[in-house]
Amino acid sequence: MKFAKVLQQTLVEEDIPEEWVEAAIKYKSLKKCITKVVRELKFLGLEQNTLKFLLEDPNSEDGTKKIIEVDQHETLPNNPIIAEYTLTKSNDKSKPILPYLKITLNYDDDEYTDDHIHEVGLQLKHKIEMLLNNDDFADDDHEEPNTEQQVIEIKEEGDKLILSPQTTHSIPSRLGSPEPFELNNSKSLDKTITETKEPVPKQSKTNEIVIMLNSDTKFFQMLNKELESLDDLKSKEESNLISQVDSISHSVKSLSSPNVSLKKTDLYKWRELFKIYLDSEVYFKYNQTNSSASERNAEQIKKNLQEFVNRVTKSGITDQFKKKKSLAVFNQFISMNYHLLKVLQFQSINTEAFRKILKKFDKQTSLNVKNRFPKLINDDHVFFSGASLAQSICYIMQTSVLTLIPQLDDYTCPICTSVAFKPIKLSCGHVFCVRCLVKLKQQDKSNCPICRHENAVVKADSTNLDLKSMALMKTYFPLEVKEKLKERDKERYDEVVGKEKCIIM
């Protein structure tokens, strides 16, 4: 299936809002612009194969084609004529991207090794020489200059294309001047370029002509405008999602408050829900939200999100909420995730459209813009080049929602695997419950059991007690702490009395 149909089908099947569809890349319209660019190049005698010879060096030492870099101050092309396609952008964002095609003729050497390049080059050289020697461009004050640079612009006149020696575009001159080229005579030159005459005598060693195409300017202006619309949409949706996350955060904090009776709080239910969510790794691998390399694609996110919903449904947690509002907030949380997914799907399909339309432009024109255009506009648009929307939203969600309720895994003693109540932080940074460290000392084990830091266990004393973590455990893990204390008391009893039953005679 052609990509234009895939794009349209995706926008329909994923139920993309109409406002988003209006902001999407207009792939079909851009394709029509490319067709017009090809028509204008053919009008100049610059068919695709011709441009390949003129834009690339077929005689490189390693046998591969390379773009010929033409120095603006001293042009010494290897072919009889060379083309250089340039994209320029002003620091003023309100001004459009300006593309232009510079044709450089070299009169110094007519000896060429490749017959086909020789033929192509001389034919095009002949056409442009006729153009440059036309009376419309003649300047009585210039007799046999060493170099000459002129600008022409292709314009549409009805269904016909004409060449006009007048343009109001500001483009950099051969010597880097920012002043615009303006030629006063606007007489049509379309007949001149298509006529066949005998080659004219050489006027100068090097001649340059800058050709302003018409449709390529429209193509880049249209594409740039669509990127601006996508930037605005991304910013708007990001603000919307952040607002939803803040709302959910406020609600969850109230519904899971540890400062009320366990019979009136949904603390444990929300903790269980968030643990399932983290284990599902919907958008990223756990604790890797700062790495774009670990970000899931839209299809994987959709699959993971559905698996999360299925696991929650199967667990029956939502049926055990003590407060009715908890179910409403959970549904809001799910809705927010699906909305983020839709934004990511929209971003993904437009990123693909952007890549493919530039690839198509190059395929049909050989003007090599698929890498240069993105670099040129990289700092102006956040839709593609900015931070991943999934990264920014997931980071906010993780810091303001998921961390509201601490997970038991983060406060578990690695030895007994229960809550590390009365946590002792060793000099190496590892944390254990005091009971397990006492046992290690009784066994004459002095090094950290995790990293083997020397004498870390022996040196630990009352100053190593992590009071802040202990207070948090009492607040957020009351049942686990109660069970821990019960186990501790039982161990102490067994140590003192022994495991044999006491018999009263």
Side-chain angles (χ1 to χ4, degrees):
M1 186 183 296
K2 292 185 177 180
F3 181 76
K5 290 185 177 180
V6 172
L7 175 60
Q8 187 63 32
Q9 184 176 322
T10 302
L11 295 176
V12 173
E13 290 181 352
E14 300 299 337
D15 195 25
I16 300 298
E18 188 62 31
E19 179 188 2
W20 296 12
V21 175
E22 289 297 319
I25 287 179
K26 306 298 185 294
Y27 193 81
K28 287 185 178 180
S29 299
L30 290 168
K31 277 180 65 179
K32 291 179 181 179
C33 271
I34 294 174
T35 301
K36 291 183 178 180
V37 173
V38 173
R39 179 188 173 213
E40 291 174 12
L41 291 171
K42 286 182 177 179
F43 171 70
L44 292 169
L46 295 170
E47 284 81 2
Q48 185 180 14
N49 290 336
T50 303
L51 273 173
K52 283 184 179 180
F53 283 118
L54 302 180
L55 289 167
E56 298 177 345
D57 178 12
N59 297 317
S60 58
E61 293 181 0
D62 58 1
T64 59
K65 292 186 176 182
K66 297 179 180 178
I67 301 300
I68 297 177
E69 297 291 340
V70 182
D71 185 71
Q72 291 184 340
H73 301 283
E74 185 177 359
T75 304
L76 295 173
N78 295 326
N79 297 336
I81 183 170
I82 190 168
E84 183 182 15
Y85 191 67
T86 304
L87 300 176
T88 61
K89 180 174 71 75
S90 171
N91 290 330
D92 184 354
K93 293 184 179 180
S94 63
K95 293 184 179 180
I97 290 174
L98 188 65
Y100 63 90
L101 181 65
K102 183 171 73 174
I103 305 293
T104 305
L105 292 89
N106 180 33
Y107 294 89
D108 294 333
D109 187 6
D110 287 330
E111 297 296 329
Y112 309 101
T113 58
D114 191 301
D115 292 338
H116 185 56
I117 297 175
H118 177 68
E119 180 183 354
V120 169
L122 288 181
Q123 286 176 0
L124 191 55
K125 177 179 177 180
H126 173 58
K127 283 190 175 184
I128 294 184
E129 280 178 335
M130 287 190 296
L131 176 62
L132 291 173
N133 284 277
N134 186 277
D135 291 339
D136 297 329
F137 287 96
D139 189 339
D140 295 336
D141 296 331
H142 288 82
E143 294 182 2
E144 298 185 0
N146 289 329
T147 59
E148 187 176 340
Q149 187 176 56
Q150 296 175 329
V151 179
I152 60 174
E153 182 175 352
I154 293 182
K155 296 182 179 180
E156 287 184 309
E157 201 172 77
D159 294 333
K160 295 182 178 180
L161 295 176
I162 65 169
L163 284 172
S164 172
Q166 184 177 17
T167 179
T168 57
H169 290 299
S170 296
I171 61 174
S173 71
R174 186 167 52 83
L175 297 178
S177 171
E179 296 299 320
F181 292 107
E182 291 193 12
L183 302 175
N184 297 323
N185 198 317
S186 59
K187 182 179 178 181
S188 171
L189 300 175
D190 57 325
K191 292 183 179 179
T192 304
I193 201 167
T194 55
E195 288 179 355
T196 303
K197 297 181 180 179
E198 293 298 321
V200 297
K202 295 178 183 178
Q203 279 190 314
S204 59
K205 291 184 178 180
T206 303
N207 228 327
E208 290 182 359
I209 181 168
V210 176
I211 303 171
M212 308 298 297
L213 302 177
N214 182 283
S215 297
D216 64 341
T217 303
K218 292 180 180 178
F219 174 86
F220 292 114
Q221 287 179 1
M222 183 187 301
L223 188 53
N224 199 51
K225 186 176 181 180
E226 289 165 3
L227 291 177
E228 289 175 355
S229 297
L230 290 171
D231 289 341
D232 293 340
L233 180 64
K234 180 183 177 182
S235 298
K236 179 182 177 181
E237 291 303 324
E238 187 170 13
S239 298
N240 178 32
L241 286 164
I242 291 173
S243 177
Q244 289 187 51
V245 171
D246 288 341
S247 174
I248 293 170
S249 174
H250 179 77
S251 298
V252 171
K253 187 175 182 179
S254 172
L255 294 167
S256 62
S257 174
N259 299 319
V260 297
S261 170
L262 287 178
K263 294 181 179 180
K264 297 181 180 181
T265 181
D266 283 322
L267 171 65
Y268 276 82
K269 299 308 172 187
W270 277 106
R271 176 183 291 125
E272 194 172 349
L273 285 172
F274 287 162
K275 185 169 191 315
I276 295 174
Y277 184 80
L278 291 170
D279 289 345
S280 298
E281 298 183 336
V282 178
Y283 301 96
F284 295 88
K285 292 182 179 180
Y286 185 59
N287 280 340
Q288 292 186 17
T289 56
N290 60 341
S291 172
S292 58
S294 63
E295 184 176 344
R296 315 292 194 189
N297 59 41
E299 285 302 314
Q300 187 63 51
I301 291 172
K302 185 176 182 180
K303 179 182 176 182
N304 291 349
L305 190 54
Q306 187 57 51
E307 286 181 356
F308 164 67
V309 173
N310 292 341
R311 288 178 63 184
V312 170
T313 303
K314 186 177 180 180
S315 70
I317 298 173
T318 54
D319 297 329
Q320 302 169 26
F321 278 133
K322 295 180 175 65
K323 297 183 177 182
K324 291 182 179 179
K325 188 179 178 182
S326 284
L327 181 59
V329 174
F330 176 71
N331 289 334
Q332 183 184 0
F333 178 75
I334 294 297
S335 177
M336 184 269 294
N337 274 273
Y338 273 108
H339 187 77
L340 175 56
L341 169 62
K342 189 169 290 187
V343 174
L344 296 177
Q345 288 173 324
F346 182 71
Q347 186 174 19
S348 176
I349 193 67
N350 277 279
T351 301
E352 184 70 2
F354 178 73
R355 184 186 67 81
K356 281 186 174 291
I357 200 64
L358 291 179
K359 183 178 179 181
K360 184 170 287 291
F361 187 97
D362 282 352
K363 184 177 180 181
Q364 295 190 17
T365 67
S366 298
L367 292 176
N368 189 33
V369 300
K370 69 178 181 180
N371 294 322
R372 289 187 289 159
F373 181 72
K375 289 180 181 178
L376 189 67
I377 54 94
N378 185 62
D379 295 334
D380 298 336
H381 300 291
V382 297
F383 188 79
F384 298 130
S385 61
S388 162
L389 188 60
Q391 272 184 283
S392 56
I393 298 302
C394 287
Y395 176 77
I396 294 171
M397 190 156 48
Q398 187 164 317
T399 54
S400 62
V401 178
L402 302 180
T403 56
L404 282 174
I405 306 175
Q407 290 295 327
L408 183 60
D409 291 345
D410 298 326
Y411 295 90
T412 297
C413 173
I415 296 178
C416 64
T417 67
S418 62
V419 65
F421 188 62
K422 287 195 175 180
I424 303 296
K425 182 182 285 187
L426 302 183
S427 57
C428 58
H430 292 111
V431 179
F432 305 88
C433 67
V434 65
R435 188 65 182 163
C436 287
L437 288 182
V438 168
K439 291 179 181 179
L440 287 176
K441 283 188 176 182
Q442 290 173 347
Q443 298 169 10
D444 293 328
K445 295 180 180 179
S446 58
N447 299 336
C448 172
I450 300 296
C451 66
R452 308 304 174 189
H453 188 77
E454 190 173 356
N455 294 324
V457 175
V458 175
K459 293 178 180 178
D461 55 28
S462 60
T463 61
N464 292 82
L465 180 63
D466 191 340
L467 296 174
K468 184 176 180 181
S469 293
M470 188 167 73
L472 183 146
M473 292 178 197
K474 282 184 177 180
T475 303
Y476 285 96
F477 305 104
L479 296 180
E480 290 79 1
V481 168
K482 184 178 180 180
E483 182 64 25
K484 183 79 170 185
L485 292 175
K486 184 178 178 181
E487 290 176 358
R488 183 197 64 183
D489 292 341
K490 184 177 182 303
E491 284 186 359
R492 284 182 177 177
Y493 178 83
D494 290 341
E495 287 175 0
V496 174
V497 178
K499 295 184 179 181
E500 295 182 3
K501 294 182 180 180
C502 180
I503 301 175
I504 300 176
M505 298 300 292

